[in-house]
Each structure stands twice: as structure tokens, then as C-alpha cells.
Amino acid sequence: MLTVSTRHAIDPVSAKALDTKGLRDAFHMDGLFAEGQINLVYTHYDRMIVGGAVPGGAALVLDHVKECGTASILDRREMGIVNIGAEGTVSAGGSDYAMARGDVLYLPMGAGPVTFAGAGRFYILSCPAHHAYPARLVPIGEAKQVHLGEAATSNKRTIYQFIHPDVMPACQLVVGYTQFHEGSVWNTMPAHLHDRRMEAYLYFDLAENARVFHFMGEPSETRHLVMKNEEAVVSPPWSIHCGAGTGAYTFIWAMAGDNVDYRDVEMVGMEDLR
């Protein structure tokens, strides 16, 4: 079963007028992971698609998506897939990829239909592409690690870069995830902006009663969304994107836009946050 919903782009002036429900309707994404279903959100931020696939007892095939306007979803797109569940298999382009928890798979433009099978919980990210780079399965041992923050500021963390220029080529998709050291809860703080790229976060590995407070908005007028386990949020280019959890968690970040330069950001000073 395939379901697709749409998120239209919201400008910063319009966002200021939104109440909590309005913010959640525009930026928050839940219900992505349901057994026997593929659930996608088609965003108008660089045409990024965010979604989830949970095969359960039968394989699921992702092929035609009306919102893409092509016969098959990857006719003019590339895709990143992160397995946040148990072992599963993804098949595309005539190849089968066995994916353990935490593995990331890159599929290029033209790879054809995508089949999900096994006990995996597959997080799906896709954006338009202009070139067919080689497909690649990237286990965590092949990811680039970046260590940031410190325990004293509660943001000591390790960033794992998978679909990233330092690891492999892609058109515009950049994907990785961030894990926190014991006692640290703040992500992406100090905050920053990158007007040339949108971003999406998926928060997972949260306990049932734990929450992440995701901060967004312009630096001069910040807002927040309360996130549960396996919920995602789309971050427009004009918005900060940082958060703090009530307990341990991991988050997957994905970007699309004008470039793939992970360091192309405008830092926001703490004194400028309101």
C-alpha cells in the first residue's frame, strides 16, 4: 500500500502567523512507519521526498508516484535509504542489498522500481537528479566520522556521513546521522542556517515517553515542535534547525539544494537567538 501527502513551501512571514497546529501541519511528519505500507511526504522544498517503508510479512514495491510525474520514481531522481530496524533487503537495478540496522543505501537515477523486504524499517529520502552515479551500500564502518561538541555543553556527539562528498558522489542528496555521547542532548547547537539547501530530520531511538524539542524559525523569532520517536520534520532554508531531548536519541539529517558542501553554513550567535 502506498500513500503520499504533500507539504507546500512556507515563507518566513507566513510561518510567523501559524499556531502550533499550523506549524505541525506545515513541517511535522508522523505515521511514516506502518507495517505493510509505504508512506511518503512530497515536499516543495527542493522537491525532497521523505518517507518510510515497513514490509512486515510481505515485500513492498515502490514504483510509480503520481506526484513525481514520471513512470517510475527514480526515472529523474536519486534515493537514500536508511535501515532503522532489523535486517532487511532492498532490491533495485537488478541487485539485492542486505541491510543491517544503521546501513545506508544510495540508489541512482534510473535504478527502476525499489523493493523492500524482511524485518527492516526503511527510511526513504529522494530528490531530483541529473546524473546516474553508481549505487552503493554504505555500512557504518565506511562512513566518515566527525566529532563535535563537549560534555560540558551537553552536545558531545559523533556525526556519521554516508551519502557525502567525502565518502561517495551523488547529485544533490547528502545524508548522515548523529549519535550522542552519554549525558548529551543538544543537537546542532550553536545553531546555523544554510539558505542554499533545505534539510529534513528524523528523530529515532527515543524511549516511549521521551521527547525531542525541535527548534525552528528565523533566529530572531524561534518556534518549536515536540517530536516523538520515529517522527520527522522538514526544515526550510530560512530556518534554524536544532533541538534538545529529554533522553537519549539519534537523528538522521538529509539535505538537498544548490550544493553538497556540508560546511556551507551561516552560524548564528547565541546572542542573536530570540
Side-chain angles (χ1 to χ4, degrees):
M1 177 179 177
L2 170 67
T3 63
V4 185
S5 61
T6 299
R7 297 289 190 278
H8 292 284
I10 306 293
D11 67 89
V13 175
S14 298
K16 291 180 181 181
L18 297 176
D19 60 11
T20 298
K21 182 179 184 303
L23 284 174
R24 295 181 74 84
D25 288 346
F27 302 106
H28 175 258
M29 295 173 280
D30 63 355
L32 297 178
F33 301 93
E35 187 166 327
Q37 297 181 23
I38 300 174
N39 295 304
L40 304 179
V41 179
Y42 183 97
T43 84
H44 284 257
Y45 299 99
D46 291 290
R47 305 288 170 170
M48 171 79 84
I49 290 176
V50 178
V54 184
L60 298 173
V61 179
L62 177 57
D63 192 6
H64 175 67
V65 175
K66 179 181 177 182
E67 287 74 5
C68 295
T70 55
S72 187
I73 185 172
L74 293 181
D75 283 353
R76 294 181 61 84
R77 285 177 163 269
E78 59 188 354
M79 180 178 290
I81 300 168
V82 187
N83 184 10
I84 64 171
E87 292 185 359
T89 302
V90 175
S91 302
S95 297
D96 299 327
Y97 303 92
M99 297 186 66
R101 179 178 174 84
D103 287 353
V104 177
L105 174 64
Y106 172 79
L107 295 176
M109 179 179 70
V114 184
T115 301
F116 303 90
R121 297 173 73 80
F122 300 102
Y123 182 50
I124 300 166
L125 298 149
S126 177
C127 61
H130 60 273
H131 180 82
Y133 289 101
R136 180 173 171 184
L137 177 63
V138 186
I140 192 169
E142 296 179 14
K144 180 181 178 181
Q145 297 185 25
V146 179
H147 304 283
L148 294 176
E150 54 187 84
T153 49
S154 302
N155 68 347
K156 188 174 184 180
R157 59 202 189 272
T158 300
I159 297 171
Y160 296 91
Q161 299 170 340
F162 291 84
I163 304 174
H164 185 280
D166 291 340
V167 179
M168 55 162 289
C171 291
Q172 63 167 322
L173 187 62
V174 181
V175 179
Y177 53 79
T178 300
Q179 294 181 334
F180 296 90
H181 294 232
E182 185 175 358
S184 288
V185 295
W186 276 102
N187 74 67
T188 322
M189 181 61 75
H192 63 254
L193 302 166
H194 34 75
D195 190 55
R196 289 153 296 281
R197 288 169 292 140
M198 61 76 67
E199 191 159 4
Y201 277 13
L202 174 75
Y203 292 103
F204 71 108
D205 281 346
L206 277 77
E208 181 178 355
N209 294 323
R211 297 291 185 270
V212 171
F213 289 75
H214 176 88
F215 293 95
M216 59 167 295
E218 294 180 288
S220 60
E221 191 163 340
T222 60
R223 312 289 291 276
H224 76 271
L225 295 170
V226 180
M227 310 291 295
K228 297 191 298 184
N229 186 48
E230 294 187 353
E231 293 185 342
V233 60
V234 60
S235 178
W238 49 263
S239 175
I240 64 167
H241 39 281
C242 58
T246 61
Y249 66 99
T250 303
F251 74 95
I252 298 169
W253 43 265
M255 294 177 281
D258 275 336
N259 63 41
V260 293
D261 184 357
Y262 187 81
R263 295 161 293 186
D264 181 18
V265 300
E266 292 82 45
M267 300 302 298
V268 177
M270 298 298 288
E271 68 276 8
D272 295 324
L273 292 175
R274 296 290 186 272

